Amino acid sequence: MTPRPVRVLLADDHAAIRAGLRLLLDASDDVEVVGEASDGTAAITNARALRPDVVLMDLRMPGVDGIEATRVITGERLADVLVLTTFDLDEYVDGALRAGAAGFLLKSAEPAALLDAVRRVADGDGVLAPEVTRRLLAAFARGPAPDGAPRPDPAIRPGGTTAPASGPQSGTAGDLPAPAAGANADASGPAQDPRLADLTPREVDVLAALGRGLSNQGIATDLYITEATAKTHVSRVLGKLGVPTRMQAAIVARDTGLA
C-alpha cells in the first residue's frame, strides 16, 4: 500500500516564491501541495479548510503576519508549521518559535534540504537550519521565558548548589545546599529545575538530546534505543513539559543546563 503523501500548504506573499516551492514540492512523489496563501489570514483559513500536514510559512506578510498565523494554526492543532526565513530575521524567528513552529529553514536552502525538512516535520521531528541553530537557541536562553515559565537562577549550579558571589568555583560544595531530593536528583546530574521534576532519568536524557538538536533517529542512536521508542519518549517529554514542539523542548534543555 502506497503511503499517503505529505500534504503541504504554502504561505508566502510573493507569488513567484510560491510558484517555485510548488514546482519543487510537486516534483516529489511523496509530497503534495494542497493550497496556497498570500497572507496570514488566508493561511489560517486554508489550514482550517484543508487540514494539511505541514504549512510552509513566510514570516513577513501583510496583515496577519506569519508569527500570529503560526500561533493560531499550532494552537488549534491544524498542522505543523515549518518557517522559511532569511539569515537576518532572528527577532521574527524568535517569535515564531514561541508561537509553536516546528522548524526553521533558510530560503536559500538546497531543494533536497527543503524536501527533507518537510518530511521530517510531518514525521514529528523538528528542523533548524544549521546556520541559525546555535544563535537562535542562545538567544532564547537569554530571553524571557514564554508564558511566565521560571528561569533558573544564574547563581544556581547544576545539582542545586549555589555559586559563590565571587572568585573561582570550588571543587567541593562545603556548606552550600544539597541537591533537591527526587526521582532525578543526583549529585552529579543536571540542575533540578522545577520543569524537570516529573521527568524520568531516561526522559532527561531524551530532553538533553533534543537540546543538542538530534532527530528521533539521532536520539535512538545516541541512547541505544529504537526509533519508535525514541519517538514515544519525545512525546512524553513534550507532554510533561507542557510544550507543543520539540523546538520549545530544546529551549528548556538549554535553559536548564542539559545541553
Side-chain angles (χ1 to χ4, degrees):
M1 184 175 180
T2 304
R4 182 175 69 85
V6 178
R7 303 174 74 252
V8 178
L9 171 66
L10 306 176
D12 196 295
D13 61 331
H14 291 93
I17 291 178
R18 297 198 307 273
L21 290 172
R22 178 182 281 274
L23 184 65
L24 168 65
L25 297 175
D26 279 344
S28 176
D29 292 336
D30 61 343
V31 179
E32 176 188 7
V33 176
V34 296
E36 299 183 17
S38 60
D39 57 44
T41 300
I44 295 168
T45 299
N46 290 349
R48 287 170 175 161
L50 299 170
R51 295 302 177 105
D53 300 306
V54 178
V55 178
L56 278 180
M57 182 76 73
D58 185 23
L59 293 180
R60 301 181 70 177
M61 294 186 289
V64 175
D65 64 14
I67 294 174
E68 181 57 28
T70 296
R71 182 176 293 110
V72 173
I73 290 170
T74 60
E76 296 184 13
R77 300 186 180 277
L78 302 174
D80 289 316
V81 174
L82 173 59
V83 167
L84 289 178
T85 185
T86 53
F87 191 79
D88 61 342
L89 294 179
D90 283 0
E91 68 276 19
Y92 292 97
V93 176
D94 179 287
L97 185 54
R98 296 194 189 281
F104 303 91
L105 204 63
L106 300 180
K107 287 185 175 180
S108 59
E110 292 295 324
L114 175 57
L115 281 167
D116 179 65
V118 168
R119 295 178 183 121
R120 286 176 59 188
V121 167
D123 195 41
D125 270 344
V127 177
L128 278 177
E131 298 90 340
V132 301
T133 301
R134 287 190 177 185
R135 190 177 72 257
L136 179 61
L137 291 176
F140 265 88
R142 294 192 301 267
D147 302 324
R151 290 283 186 187
D153 188 328
I156 302 297
R157 289 176 177 167
T161 60
T162 305
S166 60
Q169 294 183 351
S170 170
T172 60
D175 295 328
L176 298 176
N184 299 327
D186 187 304
S188 61
Q192 289 303 299
D193 185 283
R195 287 168 288 180
L196 307 182
D198 293 333
L199 301 185
T200 66
R202 174 58 84 188
E203 288 166 352
V204 171
D205 292 339
V206 170
L207 179 58
L210 289 174
R212 299 196 303 275
L214 297 185
S215 65
N216 289 339
Q217 183 178 13
I219 293 172
T221 300
D222 191 58
L223 299 181
Y224 301 99
I225 57 179
T226 67
E227 188 170 348
T229 299
K231 192 169 185 178
T232 297
H233 281 312
V234 169
S235 296
R236 289 174 178 168
V237 168
L238 297 186
K240 289 184 178 182
L241 293 178
V243 297
T245 70
R246 59 198 295 136
M247 295 294 104
Q248 291 177 330
I251 293 166
V252 174
R254 294 296 182 98
D255 194 28
T256 55
L258 288 173

